[in-house]
Amino acid sequence: MNRLAALLGPDRPVLFDGGMGTLLQDSGLEDGAPGELWNLENQDAVRAAHAAYADAGARILTTNTFGGTRPRLDMHGLGDRLAEVNRNAARIARSVADERGLLVAGDLGPTGELLAPLGAMTSEEAQALFAEQLTALVEGGIDLVLVETLSDLGEADAAVAAAKEVAPHLPVVVTMSFDTNVRTMMGVRPADAVTHLSAAGVDAVGANCGRGPEEMELIAAEMVGARSGEVLLVAQSNAGLPQVVGDHFEYDATPDDLAAHASRLAGLGIDLVGGCCGSTPDHIAAIRSTLSPA
């Protein structure tokens, strides 16, 4: 049986959380500073963000480690604290999840490096980077592995190989960003991702980020059409598109907009829904209310 399906039980769709960066910036994280820094210096703010999503109805909390691979942490002088950054993040999320009976997804974002032949990084090097990060997340107590916002199936394969190496007992979810004419930046189509990653043995495949709910529904329909076997499908849209408001960006999809979108995703057969950039606990609460009305 699909490991994630066994962990989640029969009810569908299951609700992920939403964006983390937005909440941390609202709490005072400086522009340009990595959110992962607060796993070391402001753990209370990270815990509060997780608690807000838990209160909103999310069943899966995502660790604050999107930029937790060594190349990304090195950009901010945090590479030598990689294990601490990731382990702390998992423990912070775990502390909230354990109070509510929720699950923790260990978040692996893209390395920021291009694989050969377009770049200099080999598949083996990419796998080692993901394995290093994931080792610390597993030590912190995650329940599943979430590899998100990828563009390259080669990088996805490296992350899946790292998960099989470090945490073969944990379910693996991989989501890609189809933000270039309903393809990833590397030209991967939603159906291709589902077919390829299902064959690689992941438990769930999906899409996150992107260009808003309307386009995400097109992507979701393609993924559903390509599904075979027991693989689950995931969709986590941005809260619309960013608009300049004064001196900052705001996303243009309201909580009600994202809730209606989530209802349509459920109708298509998507198994796990949530939010990405610009989404907040208010968006997740609206989705929860729509999908599971009291």
Side-chain angles (χ1 to χ4, degrees):
M1 183 179 182
N2 182 296
R3 293 170 298 179
L4 185 58
L7 189 64
L8 296 175
D11 293 339
R12 298 285 184 273
V14 173
L15 188 53
F16 260 104
D17 53 9
M20 175 63 74
T22 301
L23 299 191
L24 298 187
Q25 289 169 1
D26 288 346
S27 297
L29 181 70
E30 295 182 2
D31 287 344
E36 292 79 12
L37 177 65
W38 275 14
N39 298 333
L40 304 173
E41 296 186 353
N42 194 348
Q43 296 183 24
D44 287 345
V46 178
R47 186 176 291 106
H50 288 311
Y53 280 121
D55 289 343
R59 189 170 168 200
I60 302 174
L61 305 180
T62 306
T63 59
N64 179 38
T65 55
F66 178 78
T69 52
R70 184 168 293 276
R72 287 183 173 271
L73 291 178
D74 278 343
M75 293 171 58
H76 303 283
L78 294 172
D80 61 346
R81 302 184 73 181
L82 181 147
E84 186 182 4
V85 165
N86 286 280
R87 190 166 51 243
N88 280 7
R91 289 174 175 170
I92 295 166
R94 180 86 269 152
S95 69
V96 176
D98 284 347
E99 294 173 351
R100 322 291 183 93
L102 308 178
L103 300 172
V104 174
D107 190 15
L108 282 65
T111 64
E113 305 290 331
L114 292 176
L115 269 67
L118 295 177
M121 188 171 63
T122 67
S123 296
E124 292 77 14
E125 289 168 340
Q127 180 178 338
L129 291 173
F130 286 124
E132 180 183 35
Q133 181 186 10
L134 186 54
T135 296
L137 289 168
V138 170
E139 290 172 357
I142 62 172
D143 298 299
L144 60 132
V145 179
L146 172 63
V147 188
E148 66 171 343
T149 326
L150 297 191
S151 297
D152 182 1
L153 285 173
E155 189 171 28
D157 288 339
V160 172
K164 291 179 178 178
E165 171 194 348
V166 173
H169 59 295
L170 294 183
V172 179
V173 179
V174 179
T175 64
M176 306 191 80
S177 179
F178 302 96
D179 56 3
T180 309
N181 295 321
V182 197
R183 301 185 185 192
T184 73
M185 183 177 64
M186 296 297 184
V188 180
R189 299 173 185 269
D192 297 335
V194 172
T195 300
H196 181 97
L197 292 167
S198 297
V202 305
D203 300 274
V205 182
N208 76 299
C209 209
R211 296 181 53 79
E214 183 175 352
E215 195 162 286
M216 182 61 79
E217 289 165 30
L218 298 176
I219 292 163
E222 288 194 28
M223 293 193 300
V224 170
R227 174 175 20 204
S228 62
E230 296 183 334
V231 70
L232 304 183
L233 297 179
V234 185
Q236 292 182 274
S237 174
N238 288 347
L241 295 172
Q243 310 290 330
V244 177
V245 179
D247 61 354
H248 65 286
F249 286 102
E250 292 183 5
Y251 284 75
D252 61 5
T254 67
D256 286 344
D257 291 336
L258 222 55
H261 161 67
S263 182
R264 291 189 291 271
L265 291 176
L268 288 169
I270 298 298
D271 300 287
L272 297 98
V273 300
C276 200
C277 301
S279 61
T280 67
D282 287 343
H283 290 88
I284 299 305
I287 294 172
R288 173 61 184 271
S289 179
T290 296
L291 296 181
S292 302

